C-alpha cells in the first residue's frame, strides 16, 4: 500500500472488497469478535493469535485475566481477522494507521500458536500494511524467521523478552533458556530486523551484576536497544514473587496498593536509570515503551516521518535522548506523510470546515450546521493518523 493513499478511504475500499469475497457467516463472526471492538492501548491494538500460555512466568498477568495454561489458537482465520479490524471504529490501515501488538494474552510464537500468528501477519501484510510488533520468549527457528522476514509491506518490530539471566529458572520456570532467546536476537539482526531486548518487567531488586550481564549480552547478540518497563503487580503475582524470593522488602511496600486497587505498577526508578546508563555506555538505544521500538523499526527502515501515533513525544520526559526517531522534532511542522485536509475531510465526510496548522497542532473549525456527532472520536483518529495534536471545534 502506498503511504500517500488516505487510510480513511482505503479502509472503506478494503472492507468493501473483503465483504464481496467472504461468506456471510465469516463476516458475522468477524463483526462480533473482540478485534472489531477494542480500542488501541498505548502499544497499539492487541492482536490475539491465541489464548493461554503453558509457560507460567511468575509475573505474568494473563492468568489474572482468566486465561489458562492451555494454548489455543484463536478461532478467526487470517482474512476474518482483517475484516474484524476493518469493522473496528478505532482501526485504520496502512503504515500510518493503527499499531498492532501481538502477544498480550499468549506467547505468539509457541508451537501451537505460531502458524496462526504467521497467518495473521500474512493477511495484514496483504490487505492492510500496518506496523506490527511481536513480543516473544521463544527461540524462533530459522524457518519461522525466514517467513517473518519475507513479509512484504510490514515493518515488523520484534521484542525478545529477557528479564533475568541468573534467576530465570525461579521466575520463568518453563520458559526457554534466555541464552537461546539472545541467539534469536542475533539471528533476527542478521536477517535485517531491528530487534530490541525487552526487559519487561523490570523485577524489584534486579542487581547491578544482572543489569550489566543482560546489557552486555544484548549488545553481543546484536540488539539495537533495550525496552525496559514496569512490573504489573496483582495479589497473585505478589504472592508468587515473594515465594520465589524476590526482594520482599520492596514488594511489601506495594501490598496495600495491591489490596486496595487490585493491582499496581512497580517502577524501579533507580534500576531503570542503571539499565539506561549501561545501555548507553554500550551504544544501545534505551526506550521505555514498546510502541517506540515499533516507531524506531519503521524509521530505520526508511520511513523518515515515522512518529509514535499516541503522541507520547509531546511530553518531554517521555523520550530518551538516545532514540533516533526524534518524533517531537518531526511533528513540529505540517504533516508530510498524509494530506491533513483530505484526511479530515474523509473523516468528517464533509468539506464544511476550515483548517489551520500552527506549531504542529491542527486546528479544525467545523462550520455551523454541520453534524456534531462523533467529533471527539474523529479528533482522536485524525491525531493518530496525522501524528499531530488535532483540535476540532464547532463554529457557532
Ligand atoms: S511467556 Fe508471556 S504469556 Fe506466557 S506465561 Fe510468560 S509472560 Fe505470560
Ligand atoms: S522520539 Fe520519543 S516518542 Fe518517538 S520513538 Fe523515540 S522515544 Fe518514542
Amino acid at each position: 500500500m502506498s503511504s500517500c493513499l488516505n487510510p480513511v478511504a482505503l479502509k472503506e475500499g478494503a472492507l468493501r472488497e473483503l465483504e464481496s469475497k467472504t461468506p456471510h457467516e465469516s463476516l458475522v463472526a468477524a463483526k462480533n469478535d473482540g478485534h472489531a471492538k477494542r480500542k488501541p492501548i498505548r502499544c497499539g491494538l492487541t492482536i490475539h493469535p491465541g489464548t493461554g500460555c503453558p509457560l507460567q512466568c511468575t509475573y505474568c498477568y494473563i492468568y489474572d485475566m482468566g486465561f489458562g495454561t492451555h494454548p489455543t489458537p484463536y478461532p478467526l482465520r487470517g482474512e476474518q481477522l482483517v475484516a474484524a479490524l476493518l469493522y473496528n471504529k478505532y482501526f485504520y490501515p496502512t503504515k500510518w494507521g493503527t499499531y498492532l501488538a501481538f502477544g498480550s494474552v499468549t506467547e505468539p510464537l509457541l508451537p501451537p500458536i505460531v502458524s496462526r500468528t504467521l497467518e495473521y501477519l500474512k493477511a495484514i501484510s496483504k490487505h492492510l500494511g500496518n506496523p506490527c510488533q511481536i513480543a516473544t520468549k521463544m527461540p524462533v527457528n530459522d524457518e519461522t524467521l525466514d517467513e517473518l522476514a519475507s513479509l512484504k509491506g510490514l515493518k515488523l518490530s520484534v521484542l525478545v523478552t529477557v528479564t533475568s539471566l541468573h534467576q530465570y529458572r525461579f521466575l520463568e520456570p518453563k520458559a526457554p533458556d534466555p541464552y537461546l532467546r539472545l541467539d534469536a536476537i542475533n539471528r533476527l539482526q542478521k536477517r535485517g530486523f531491528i530487534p530490541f531486548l525487552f526487559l519487561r518487567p523490570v523485577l524489584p531488586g534486579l542487581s547491578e551484576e544482572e543489569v550489566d550481564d543482560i546489557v552486555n549480552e544484548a549488545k553481543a547478540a546484536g540488539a539495537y536497544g533495550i525496552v525496559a518497563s514496569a512490573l504489573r503487580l496483582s495479589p497473585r503475582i505478589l504472592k508468587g514473587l515473594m515465594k520465589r524470593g524476590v526482594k520482599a522488602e520492596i514488594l511489601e511496600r506495594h501490598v496495600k496498593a495491591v489490596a486496595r486497587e487490585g493491582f499496581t505498577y512497580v517502577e524501579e526508578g533507580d534500576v531503570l536509570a542503571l539499565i539506561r546508563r549501561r545501555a548507553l555506555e554500550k551504544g544501545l538505544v534505551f526506550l521505555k515503551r514498546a510502541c517506540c521500538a515499533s516507531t524506531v523499526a519503521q524509521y530505520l527502515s526508511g520511513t523518515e516521518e515515522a512518529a509514535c501515533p499516541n503522541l507520547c513525544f509531546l511530553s518531554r520526559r517521555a523520550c530518551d535522548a538516545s532514540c533516533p526517531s526524534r518524533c517531537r522534532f518531526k511533528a513540529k511542522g505540517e504533516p508530510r506523510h498524509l494530506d491533513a485536509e483530505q484526511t479530515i475531510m474523509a473523516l468528517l465526510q464533509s468539506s464544511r470546515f476550515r483548517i489551520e496548522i500552527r506549531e504542529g497542532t491542527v486546528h479544525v473549525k467545523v462550520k455551523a450546521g454541520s453534524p456534531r456527532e462523533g467529533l471527539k472520536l474523529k479528533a482522536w483518529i485524525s491525531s493518530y493518523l496525522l501524528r499531530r495534536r488535532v483540535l476540532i471545534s464547532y463554529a457557532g
Side-chain angles (χ1 to χ4, degrees):
M1 277 187 171
S2 158
S3 64
C4 58
L5 292 174
N6 187 321
V8 185
L10 278 168
K11 178 175 180 175
E12 286 162 19
L15 185 56
R16 268 200 307 275
E17 195 192 330
L18 213 58
E19 282 182 329
S20 71
K21 292 188 202 152
T22 313
H24 177 68
E25 57 279 17
S26 295
L27 291 172
V28 172
K31 208 178 242 177
N32 290 327
D33 188 79
H35 291 95
K37 293 171 187 160
R38 61 178 160 266
K39 196 176 178 183
I41 52 173
R42 213 159 64 168
C43 60
L45 198 146
T46 55
I47 301 293
H48 301 174
T51 53
C53 181
L55 301 183
Q56 298 175 57
C57 304
T58 312
Y59 49 76
C60 182
Y61 55 79
I62 72 164
Y63 309 109
D64 292 322
M65 296 164 77
F67 296 101
T69 54
H70 182 69
T72 312
Y74 204 74
L76 292 188
R77 302 310 306 259
E79 313 267 301
Q80 278 183 300
L81 174 84
V82 168
L85 292 173
L86 290 168
Y87 283 127
N88 186 323
K89 66 179 177 183
Y90 302 108
F91 172 88
Y92 282 84
T94 80
K95 65 178 170 180
W96 303 112
T98 314
Y99 279 25
L100 301 177
F102 284 65
S104 63
V105 296
T106 188
E107 158 53 68
L109 301 183
L110 277 172
I113 308 288
V114 65
S115 59
R116 190 65 95 227
T117 297
L118 287 168
E119 181 181 341
Y120 283 4
L121 284 167
K122 281 176 195 165
I124 292 165
S125 150
K126 181 173 167 197
H127 297 282
L128 303 171
N130 291 61
C132 290
Q133 183 172 68
I134 287 186
T136 186
K137 286 193 180 85
M138 297 307 287
V140 206
N141 64 32
D142 284 342
E143 200 186 333
T144 303
L145 283 187
D146 289 339
E147 280 204 64
L148 291 174
S150 72
L151 293 167
K152 300 279 175 262
L154 294 184
K155 293 290 166 239
L156 182 65
S157 154
V158 186
L159 305 175
V160 177
T161 307
V162 175
T163 61
S164 165
L165 293 173
H166 306 320
Q167 308 172 71
Y168 88 96
R169 269 291 154 240
F170 303 109
L171 299 165
E172 304 163 344
K174 299 187 181 179
D177 187 310
Y179 285 94
L180 295 175
R181 306 179 216 166
L182 288 159
D183 180 59
I185 290 183
N186 187 253
R187 288 178 293 118
L188 280 158
Q189 190 255 353
K190 285 189 175 139
R191 281 167 176 78
F193 288 93
I194 316 235
F196 276 76
L197 184 138
F198 200 21
L199 215 170
R200 189 184 79 170
V202 174
L203 291 160
L206 193 69
S207 71
E208 188 165 348
E209 186 198 354
E210 274 255 48
V211 170
D212 283 350
D213 289 349
I214 292 172
V215 172
N216 289 344
E217 294 294 346
K219 176 70 182 176
Y224 187 78
I226 294 192
V227 180
S229 63
L231 165 71
R232 190 180 195 275
L233 204 56
S234 68
R236 192 190 52 79
I237 295 173
L238 180 71
K239 213 165 127 195
L241 290 175
M242 281 185 161
K243 208 163 111 194
R244 283 169 175 79
V246 171
K247 293 260 166 144
E249 67 274 20
I250 299 176
L251 292 172
E252 269 158 13
R253 276 186 240 142
H254 302 281
V255 169
K256 277 193 187 149
V258 171
R260 199 175 51 240
E261 311 289 339
F263 71 89
T264 190
Y265 285 94
V266 180
E267 193 166 283
E268 289 276 281
D270 292 351
V271 184
L272 276 174
L274 176 67
I275 297 166
R276 177 183 186 271
R277 223 169 33 246
R278 293 291 190 264
L280 267 53
E281 281 163 13
K282 284 279 166 191
L284 295 170
V285 164
F286 174 82
L287 300 174
K288 284 185 273 186
R289 292 173 304 277
C291 57
C292 294
S294 197
T295 301
V296 168
Q298 293 164 66
Y299 173 68
L300 295 176
S301 309
T303 304
E304 279 197 22
E305 293 296 303
C308 274
N310 51 27
L311 312 188
C312 40
F313 53 81
L314 291 178
S315 149
R316 277 187 192 280
R317 288 185 59 238
C319 294
D320 196 89
S322 66
C323 179
S325 180
R326 301 186 310 137
C327 299
R328 192 182 174 86
F329 173 77
K330 284 182 271 189
K332 275 193 192 310
E334 289 201 16
R336 289 194 296 164
H337 61 288
L338 289 177
D339 182 316
E341 192 153 350
Q342 292 291 328
T343 306
I344 306 276
M345 197 186 300
L347 276 168
L348 296 180
Q349 295 183 314
S350 160
S351 54
R352 292 176 52 76
F353 65 89
R354 266 190 312 109
I355 182 171
E356 206 179 310
I357 304 175
R358 294 194 302 269
E359 292 167 18
T361 298
V362 181
H363 299 266
V364 182
K365 275 252 182 302
V366 177
K367 291 185 184 159
S370 306
R372 286 169 182 265
E373 298 80 52
L375 286 188
K376 198 170 162 203
L377 176 62
K378 286 169 185 170
W380 179 82
I381 295 166
S382 30
S383 134
Y384 198 100
L385 298 175
L386 296 173
R387 311 304 200 249
R388 304 289 187 278
R389 186 186 280 130
V390 176
L391 302 175
I392 303 186
S393 58
Y394 197 80

